[in-house]
Amino acid sequence: MGRLTLTALMIWALCFFGADCGSATIQSPRSSQVKTEASPVITLTNDQPQNSLPIKAGELTNNAEVLEVAITKVTNPRMTPLSISVYLSDSEEEKSEPKRHLIGNFSLYPPDQPGKFLLSAAPALRAVSRSDASDKERDLRLVFEMKRIDESRPWTSVEVTIAEPTWRAAEK
């Protein structure tokens, strides 16, 4: 019985101390370690229900019309019904207030389960492309906003983790 407990504790310790949060480690043949950055993630909470990611230059190709949003983790013990809205934010150097173009929204069901969602981004991308600003003067961001479906009820403890979204071509 003592040997089984010791084995279980060793496995737990290896799992706990072997986890590396935030980056991946690649072992080279010469045993020097190289760290690589993990993909950006966004966390939305009941205290911070809005967050954003910059859109990198070259990320939007001519055929990018669909945005894939992956919810990777949900902590929602009280099962508060949620919706998440995704906007394309377009701010120009001369203007103080960025324009937000709705890409789409979705709800988590059940409200404590992760999932993947596809949103048609074509109308928001067309609205941004009609702007007079050049790409150098522009700061494009994806803005994520979490809302309670029943806004008359108070927030409970909620945390939603969103992986870096990917742009895809529309399937024909």
Side-chain angles (χ1 to χ4, degrees), residues 15-158:
C15 292
F16 183 77
F17 292 111
D20 184 16
C21 300
S23 64
T25 303
I26 300 171
Q27 188 74 26
S28 73
R30 295 185 184 148
S31 79
S32 64
Q33 291 184 351
V34 177
K35 293 254 183 185
T36 59
E37 292 297 316
S39 297
V41 295
I42 287 185
T43 301
L44 304 175
T45 66
N46 51 294
D47 294 326
Q48 184 184 2
Q50 184 174 309
N51 207 336
S52 67
L53 275 175
I55 296 176
K56 300 171 191 151
E59 197 171 359
L60 294 177
T61 60
N62 289 338
N63 61 354
E65 295 179 358
V66 175
L67 183 66
E68 180 180 309
V69 179
I71 306 296
T72 57
K73 181 181 174 190
V74 180
T75 305
N76 189 357
R78 292 261 177 112
M79 303 293 281
T80 301
L82 305 171
S83 70
I84 297 176
S85 297
V86 183
Y87 300 91
L88 182 59
S89 173
D90 180 19
S91 63
E92 299 171 21
E93 286 181 6
E94 306 89 40
K95 297 181 180 178
S96 61
E97 190 68 29
K99 292 180 188 174
R100 288 184 4 163
H101 308 281
L102 180 66
I103 293 175
N105 53 43
F106 54 89
S107 296
L108 301 179
Y109 186 80
D112 65 340
Q113 294 298 308
K116 285 188 180 179
F117 302 88
L118 299 177
L119 303 171
S120 175
L125 291 169
R126 279 194 297 273
V128 167
S129 69
R130 286 192 298 258
S131 175
D132 293 334
S134 71
D135 290 339
K136 292 179 183 177
E137 300 170 343
R138 205 176 246 173
D139 178 26
L140 292 176
R141 301 186 74 77
L142 282 174
V143 178
F144 297 86
E145 185 175 18
M146 180 173 65
K147 299 176 184 174
R148 299 177 312 277
I149 290 180
D150 183 357
E151 301 232 352
S152 67
R153 300 183 80 178
W155 272 112
T156 61
S157 179
V158 175

